[in-house]
Amino acid sequence: MRLSVRHKLTLFSTLVILAVSSGFTWVSLGLARRAIEEDLQNRAIIYAREVAAAIGGGRELESGRALHQLIVRFLEIRPTVLQLDVLTFDAEGMTLVASNEPRSQLSFNWSDAEDVQRGRVISRAVSRGTAHHWEVMAPITLEGAVAGAVAVKFSAQRSDELIGRIQFWALTLAGASLVLMGVLMTGAIQFVVDRPIRRFTTDEFGVLAKHFNEMVARIERFSEELRTRIAEATGELDHRVRQVEQLNVLLYEMQRRLSHAERLALSGRVMAEVAHEVGTPLHSVAGHLELLRKDLPPALVSEDVTRRLGVIETQVARVIEIISRLLDATRRVPSEPTAVDLNALARDTAELVRPGLARARLTLEVRTEPGLPTVLGQRDQLQQVILNLLTNAIDATPHDGRVEMTTRSRPGQDEVEIAIADTGLGISPADRKHIFEPFFSTKEGGHGTGLGLFITAEIVREHKGRIEVDSDQGSGSVFRVCLPPLRAEG
């Protein structure tokens, strides 16, 4: 069905009006919502400041009963307040002094409390399902110092209702204006366009219009034939494109197979070098077996012997785990991480290398920081990191040298550090750029494969940490492993 010019103009004008009206309505609603939310936020902050000033001025923090009475009065004055908490700060964190809802905990954490202790006011919008409210925390100042805070929960129901009414009337007015403008536009087109065209077709130019219409019809027929030919050419082009796509698929499959072959070749290299990782725990096993043969009297099993047998069993299991990890290098699935005590892990790993230290005539000093935060990770992999670094330190340190292992927290950087230092020959600047690359080693041929530090760096990276090295030739090396501490939620 062919539409007339009047109908086309009416439809086009209606669509333009609809698009413009919808855009302005959407922008207006967004600005209105933002203004109402900012007003609610400002009123919530002002209210929290007034409550904090009232409590700070009257020294009510010293009396819990007076605080409860004051909270009741504040709630009677402002019905939109759902919850009002009074908190104090101490060395252990925040302490709830008084609240009208003691069983309900607001969403503020210790980081927010630190900002409030610096005199800032924290405010945020919280949405839980369909419920929406504002939470504000303001400092309570006593004698010029922040002694506590007021945490307030404000209902956003009234603002939501106001926004809903604004949306309803805005959409209603927009729809009514659209209908009215459509009617007016139809009438205007009727008088301005349709009537002059009808008069034009009945006067002396009617013949010209007829010939013009015939020419338009011929042009449309020619256009239809041209579209048909273009469609045929497009079909042929699509056929060629599909052939090219099939060729690309074949090329991709060849590249994938080549990449798979390269991974298999790399796996073969890794398996050829597996002696590096297998040798370390086997040397530990051999050392403990040697001590066992010296300490074990005939037909007598002591508690010390039992402990050493347990160490041997642990190391044998670790050897199996290392081999499995190398075989599954491209499909390794990490186990569930747990809280790891780095102090205990450092002491346990130090016991594993005692036989090697004795053979190398080296001394190992372990210093751990009391109360060190735990880290989230896999204990066996973190033990492999420490064991690799200790083994490298032992290999790099001459006889009668010293190896030190220390643990400490770095509060300024929110990290936990374990450092291993030696008095060896050090690493040149040129070699330091490549020590964490696979198959790079500074040891003599037959004494290293170049996988130890590469695997160590990969494990540290998987634990969201980082590894640093400080070394100069002739003055030893220090390797530092920095990991994020495990923090309790709440």
Side-chain angles (χ1 to χ4, degrees):
M1 179 179 179
R2 184 184 297 274
L3 295 177
S4 64
V5 175
R6 179 169 61 87
H7 290 152
K8 290 180 179 179
L9 289 176
T10 302
L11 180 61
F12 176 78
S13 302
T14 303
L15 292 176
V16 171
I17 294 171
L18 176 61
V20 174
S21 177
S22 300
F24 277 105
T25 302
W26 180 80
V27 172
S28 300
L29 290 176
L31 293 176
R33 175 182 291 274
R34 182 177 300 177
I36 292 173
E37 289 181 349
E38 289 180 355
D39 179 69
L40 177 62
Q41 180 184 10
N42 292 333
R43 287 191 284 113
I45 292 175
I46 293 173
Y47 179 78
R49 287 183 180 272
E50 290 174 353
V51 174
I55 294 176
R59 301 185 65 85
E60 281 81 357
L61 283 175
E62 300 177 357
S63 172
R65 187 172 185 182
L67 282 175
H68 284 288
Q69 295 176 355
L70 189 59
I71 288 174
V72 171
R73 292 200 299 271
F74 282 133
L75 294 178
E76 292 175 351
I77 296 173
R78 187 64 63 90
T80 57
V81 177
L82 302 178
Q83 183 175 345
L84 198 156
D85 298 344
V86 178
L87 310 168
T88 59
F89 300 130
D90 50 32
E92 298 180 355
M94 297 183 295
T95 302
L96 180 65
V97 178
S99 173
N100 66 313
E101 295 289 345
R103 296 184 179 180
S104 177
Q105 184 178 3
L106 300 182
S107 61
F108 297 107
N109 52 33
W110 179 241
S111 177
D112 297 329
E114 291 178 343
D115 291 339
V116 172
Q117 284 182 307
R118 291 192 286 268
R120 293 183 56 191
V121 176
I122 304 300
S123 64
R124 63 167 63 95
V126 180
S127 298
R128 294 176 180 172
T130 59
H132 174 62
H133 63 271
W134 277 87
E135 294 181 1
V136 180
M137 179 182 283
I140 299 176
T141 305
L142 294 178
E143 298 179 356
V146 177
V150 171
V152 188
K153 177 181 177 181
F154 289 86
S155 172
Q157 181 179 359
R158 292 181 59 187
S159 63
D160 292 340
E161 293 175 353
L162 179 59
I163 292 173
R165 291 197 297 271
I166 292 175
Q167 290 178 343
F168 172 78
W169 285 111
L171 294 176
T172 301
L173 292 176
S177 63
L178 178 62
V179 173
L180 179 59
M181 294 185 70
V183 172
L184 294 176
M185 185 64 66
T186 301
I189 293 174
Q190 174 72 23
F191 286 99
V192 176
V193 177
D194 195 48
R195 285 188 176 183
I197 290 178
R198 288 181 180 179
R199 287 196 300 267
F200 177 79
T201 57
T202 58
D203 61 13
E204 59 186 10
F205 294 101
V207 177
L208 179 61
K210 180 181 178 181
H211 290 295
F212 180 81
N213 290 334
E214 291 176 353
M215 182 180 64
V216 170
R218 289 196 299 269
I219 292 174
E220 288 180 348
R221 287 194 299 271
F222 176 78
S223 299
E224 184 65 27
E225 294 176 358
L226 182 61
R227 282 195 295 268
T228 302
R229 294 181 180 180
I230 291 176
E232 293 175 354
T234 302
E236 181 66 22
L237 181 61
D238 290 340
H239 177 68
R240 299 300 182 188
V241 169
R242 285 193 295 271
Q243 290 180 341
V244 173
E245 289 176 350
Q246 293 175 356
L247 180 60
N248 288 335
V249 171
L250 294 176
L251 291 175
Y252 172 78
E253 182 65 20
M254 293 176 61
Q255 292 176 351
R256 189 185 65 82
R257 293 181 179 180
L258 179 60
S259 177
H260 181 66
E262 291 175 351
R263 287 198 299 271
L264 290 177
L266 178 60
S267 299
R269 293 176 59 193
V270 172
M271 290 303 300
E273 300 292 344
V274 74
H276 174 83
E277 293 300 327
V278 176
T280 299
L282 288 180
H283 283 311
S284 178
V285 171
H288 283 284
L289 285 175
E290 182 180 352
L291 293 174
L292 183 62
R293 284 192 293 270
K294 292 180 180 180
D295 298 340
L296 183 64
L300 179 61
V301 177
S302 65
E303 181 179 353
D304 185 57
V305 170
T306 302
R307 180 179 64 83
R308 296 186 185 281
L309 288 175
V311 172
I312 295 173
E313 292 175 354
T314 301
Q315 289 305 297
V316 170
R318 181 175 175 276
V319 171
I320 296 174
E321 194 275 335
I322 290 174
I323 295 175
S324 299
R325 184 182 300 121
L326 289 174
L327 292 175
D328 300 334
T330 59
R331 53 185 175 88
R332 181 179 60 189
V333 179
S335 60
E336 189 69 23
T338 59
V340 180
D341 183 355
L342 286 184
N343 285 342
L345 186 62
R347 289 190 291 266
D348 293 344
T349 311
E351 288 297 321
L352 300 179
V353 299
R354 293 292 181 187
L357 290 166
R359 286 194 300 270
R361 299 203 308 271
L362 302 177
T363 58
L364 173 62
E365 182 178 358
V366 180
R367 294 195 299 268
T368 58
E369 178 182 293
L372 188 71
T374 59
V375 299
L376 183 64
Q378 301 179 31
R379 191 179 190 279
D380 58 339
Q381 292 190 13
L382 292 177
Q383 186 179 47
Q384 181 179 351
V385 168
I386 299 174
L387 193 57
N388 285 348
L389 295 178
L390 283 176
T391 302
N392 287 346
I394 293 172
D395 293 341
T397 306
H399 293 317
D400 301 324
R402 186 179 72 259
V403 179
E404 296 181 356
M405 180 166 54
T406 59
T407 62
R408 69 185 183 98
S409 58
R410 305 173 73 173
Q413 301 182 9
D414 194 23
E415 292 177 332
V416 178
E417 175 190 285
I418 179 166
I420 297 176
D422 61 64
T423 57
L425 301 178
I427 306 172
S428 66
D431 289 341
R432 283 203 303 270
K433 299 178 182 179
H434 306 285
I435 58 175
F436 295 111
E437 297 177 358
F439 309 111
F440 179 83
S441 176
T442 59
K443 301 177 182 179
E444 298 179 358
H447 292 83
T449 62
L451 284 176
L453 288 178
F454 169 72
I455 295 176
T456 298
E458 288 296 315
I459 294 175
V460 173
R461 189 178 299 109
E462 291 174 359
H463 285 74
K464 297 181 175 58
R466 56 191 175 86
I467 184 169
E468 302 174 347
V469 57
D470 292 333
S471 180
D472 291 315
Q473 284 186 300
S475 59
S477 304
V478 181
F479 283 83
R480 297 184 181 88
V481 176
C482 303
L483 300 169
L486 176 61
R487 294 189 177 277
E489 297 182 356

